[in-house]
Amino acid sequence: MDKFPIGIIGGAGGIGRWFAAFFEQAGYTVHVSGQTSGLRPAEMAAACPVVIVSVPIGVTQAVIREVGPHMKKDSLLMDLTSLKTGPVRSMLEASASEVIGLHPLFGPGVSSLEGQNVVLCPARAVKWIPWLRGILGDYGAKIVETTPERHDEIMAVVQALNHLNTLVLGLSIRETGISREELERFSTPLVRARLEAVENLFSHPQLYAEIIAENPHISRILDLHEKAFSAVKPLVDQQGAEALEARMRQENRKG
């Protein structure tokens, strides 16, 4: 397939900027738009056969509804958000184009695609899916294909539960009144990594709040989290290490 222009709405920062650089390195012309710069959605759709939406989760569907009606039937509309059910549904409803949900499971700090997991949710994809599989695979990505619904169910654990635990850890640490500097002096490498994760989460509140709260499976995850804590708390409070060890051995046998 010949090289063609690619448009990224929200490509001025974060993972959008990363993919702009990636496609440019692969030889494509990339048009990037920010909130106040670059092509407007209608112009982007007219100029680019592939348009990627890379904006915060909370405004993704609004942007999709803005650009979708301008997409040609033989073009491709994608998004890069951490949730897929809502955005993919909006892309299917708003456009006549082919539609693929794309979720790179890495942040903009990685140097290459080599060895990185990337999830594809092909929703209406015949012409464009071989191209996308090809370019991602050629640069070493590990591609997983699934439905938007299954993606969000798994992300409820991989992302929502993970970040929820980091949030609770950070809130609990701050309640102790022990400074970050003093914790660093006593910390293990694992704790230092966890402290960095806490700092990163509090530094990007919109991103992580949306990943946690907007996941359609978060209610179940909250229930499971509360149930697990409620089961462990009395073991520590009332029965001590032997009971806690027995519970851990029981879980280990379940494997």
Side-chain angles (χ1 to χ4, degrees):
M1 186 178 287
D2 294 333
K3 299 295 172 70
F4 45 82
I6 295 174
I8 303 182
I9 300 174
I15 199 67
R17 179 186 296 171
W18 192 96
F19 270 93
F22 167 74
F23 285 119
E24 285 174 347
Q25 180 186 359
Y28 293 85
T29 299
V30 180
H31 296 283
V32 168
S33 70
Q35 287 184 323
T36 59
S37 62
L39 299 175
R40 297 298 89 202
E43 297 170 327
M44 188 82 81
C48 304
V50 172
V51 174
I52 303 170
V53 176
S54 179
V55 297
I57 293 170
V59 297
T60 292
Q61 293 186 60
V63 173
I64 287 170
R65 287 191 290 269
E66 189 174 355
V67 69
H70 303 286
M71 297 292 295
K72 301 179 181 68
K73 188 173 182 179
D74 62 350
S75 62
L76 171 64
L77 182 60
M78 295 192 289
D79 79 299
L80 295 180
T81 52
S82 298
L83 297 175
K84 284 287 155 275
T85 304
V88 168
R89 181 175 58 245
S90 289
M91 288 190 287
L92 289 171
E93 292 173 351
S95 74
S97 67
E98 294 200 359
V99 168
I100 302 174
L102 172 62
H103 185 192
L105 295 174
F106 56 88
V110 305
S111 59
S112 77
L113 263 183
E114 185 68 37
Q116 301 295 337
N117 292 332
V118 179
V119 180
L120 304 184
C121 297
R124 188 164 59 218
V126 177
K127 170 185 174 181
W128 288 102
I129 191 66
W131 166 78
L132 186 58
R133 288 175 184 146
I135 190 169
L136 296 176
D138 287 347
Y139 282 84
K142 295 180 179 178
I143 300 171
V144 179
E145 295 189 28
T146 188
T147 64
E149 294 76 18
R150 182 60 173 164
H151 168 276
D152 288 356
E153 183 181 4
I154 295 175
M155 284 304 109
V157 175
V158 172
Q159 289 193 313
L161 178 59
N162 179 35
H163 298 320
L164 178 67
N165 280 332
T166 300
L167 173 60
V168 172
L169 174 65
L171 294 173
S172 300
I173 288 173
R174 293 190 177 190
E175 286 296 317
T176 69
I178 303 173
S179 69
R180 170 71 184 267
E181 292 73 19
E182 188 167 8
L183 285 173
E184 289 278 3
R185 291 174 55 226
F186 288 85
S187 67
T188 63
L190 176 59
V191 168
R192 287 193 291 276
R194 297 298 301 278
L195 290 174
E196 283 203 14
V198 167
E199 185 174 316
N200 182 59
L201 180 139
F202 285 132
S203 297
H204 302 86
Q206 180 185 13
L207 171 64
Y208 292 108
E210 290 179 342
I211 287 174
I212 295 169
E214 298 299 325
N215 189 292
H217 302 277
I218 191 58
S219 180
R220 176 173 177 268
I221 290 299
L222 289 171
D223 289 344
L224 292 174
H225 192 277
E226 185 176 19
K227 180 181 177 181
F229 185 81
S230 297
V232 169
K233 187 176 185 295
L235 298 180
V236 178
D237 275 351
Q238 302 162 21
Q239 300 179 46
E242 289 186 5
L244 189 61
E245 178 186 351
R247 179 59 187 267
M248 287 190 273
R249 291 188 183 279
Q250 176 186 349
E251 295 302 320
N252 187 48
R253 285 193 293 272
K254 292 179 183 178

